[in-house]
Amino acid sequence: MTEWKAFEVESKDHIAQVTLTGPGKGNAMGPDFWRELPLVFGELDADPQVRAIVLTGSGKHFSYGLDLPAMSPLFGPLLADKALAAPRTDFLKHVREMQQSVTAVADCTKPVIAAVSGWCIGGGLDLIAAADIRLASADATFSLREAKVAIVADIGSLHRLPGIIGEGHVRELAFTGKDIDAARAEKIGLVNDVYADQDAVLDAAHALAREIAGNPPLVVQGIKDVLDQPKRGKVADGLRYVSVWNSAFLPSEDLTEAIQAVFEKRPPEFKGK
């Protein structure tokens, strides 16, 4: 088995479990995560013994989302005074690489079941939106929080969630950056079911994975392919559009303020500049 820095991967009886391990606090998504994610799912996709995948987080939380301190070099050149074409082009390249990392989950031919406990913020929501099925523990909390840090979400939530929870709910979550609990997530269709605690949701995810794995694997993969076909082009076009939009318009005083506020552990003061 490959040794990973941001994941643990275990396979048994046709079921693989992929566990986020950080190294950032709350399984925050730093450089190791973005580099390894497509490699992990590429290996599992190519493994004929794997028929279903359970995706979960280590510790109490699924993921705090983007590891801003670890990823700050991505934003630094873009926020420099009079950032010209070169830093914007580099930023575009990095965003598209991150998009492809999450798209590797969506494109995996094996069904992916996300088992979510605790916080699932920003990039965590991008990740589970790329899964086929989402389950949650009662303590799970979800947030499409990018607006609160002066960023237009650009890794897939805005493109995949409308087909899962509908336009109105996506717009509410994206415009406000609010947190919603597991009960609300179930009500709007973000998760299929809610379970008592972390152990229970992981057990349920594995039970569902075993049920899937008991069916003819090529038929299951064919079902996923047919279901995904109508939305592939639309999602791909949307991802390309938002990556260009952010490369052009993301640099702002508000973004600088948001990043400084994170490091200084204080509320940001946005001025629309």
Side-chain angles (χ1 to χ4, degrees):
M1 297 293 291
T2 305
E3 293 291 328
W4 307 104
K5 294 182 178 180
F7 300 92
E8 291 179 356
V9 181
E10 300 174 302
S11 297
K12 182 180 179 181
D13 298 331
H14 301 303
I15 309 300
Q17 178 172 312
V18 177
T19 305
L20 282 64
T21 60
K25 183 179 179 182
N27 304 318
M29 299 169 170
D32 290 331
F33 170 88
W34 298 106
R35 182 179 63 257
E36 293 179 352
L37 180 64
L39 302 178
V40 168
F41 275 84
E43 284 194 6
L44 295 177
D45 199 20
D47 186 345
Q49 294 302 311
V50 173
R51 297 184 180 183
I53 301 168
V54 173
L55 177 63
T56 192
S58 62
K60 295 180 180 180
H61 303 288
F62 184 80
S63 179
Y64 286 173
L66 187 71
D67 188 340
L68 272 177
M71 299 297 289
S72 58
L74 176 66
F75 298 101
L78 196 66
L79 294 174
D81 187 37
K82 297 181 181 178
L84 298 176
R88 293 174 189 269
T89 301
D90 287 342
F91 182 80
L92 176 64
K93 174 178 177 289
H94 288 306
V95 169
R96 288 184 172 171
E97 288 173 349
M98 293 164 69
Q99 290 176 340
Q100 284 301 313
S101 293
V102 172
T103 296
V105 178
D107 286 349
C108 180
T109 61
K110 319 297 174 64
V112 180
I113 304 163
V116 181
S117 299
W119 283 103
C120 180
I121 305 172
L125 197 53
D126 289 317
L127 182 57
I128 68 167
D132 296 282
I133 300 166
R134 289 151 295 278
L135 308 177
S137 60
D139 71 340
T141 304
F142 303 85
S143 181
L144 184 53
R145 192 173 291 186
E146 281 84 351
K148 289 188 176 294
V149 289
I151 296 173
V152 174
D154 57 7
I155 309 298
S157 288
L158 298 184
H159 309 96
R160 295 188 174 100
L161 285 179
I164 298 169
I165 64 176
E167 287 277 354
H169 292 304
V170 174
R171 291 171 187 265
E172 179 182 348
L173 296 181
F175 293 159
T176 64
K178 65 166 58 176
D179 305 334
I180 62 170
D181 61 17
R184 175 76 190 281
E186 183 180 23
K187 182 178 180 180
I188 65 177
L190 178 59
V191 300
N192 287 22
D193 291 292
V194 176
Y195 298 86
D197 54 33
Q198 188 174 33
D199 290 339
V201 71
L202 195 56
D203 287 345
H206 275 273
L208 182 55
R210 288 192 296 271
E211 190 173 356
I212 292 169
N215 286 330
L218 296 182
V219 170
V220 171
Q221 292 168 32
I223 292 168
K224 178 170 180 174
D225 185 38
V226 170
L227 287 171
D228 286 348
Q229 191 278 330
K231 60 186 179 182
R232 285 195 192 100
K234 184 177 181 180
V235 170
D237 288 346
L239 290 172
R240 289 186 62 83
Y241 182 86
V242 73
S243 65
V244 173
W245 196 98
N246 269 353
S247 298
F249 298 115
L250 187 65
S252 67
E253 291 182 14
D254 282 346
L255 178 57
T256 300
E257 166 65 9
I259 294 174
Q260 289 177 345
V262 169
F263 282 105
E264 296 171 8
K265 298 181 179 180
R266 61 171 174 80
E269 296 183 11
F270 297 129
K271 298 179 180 179
K273 295 183 179 180

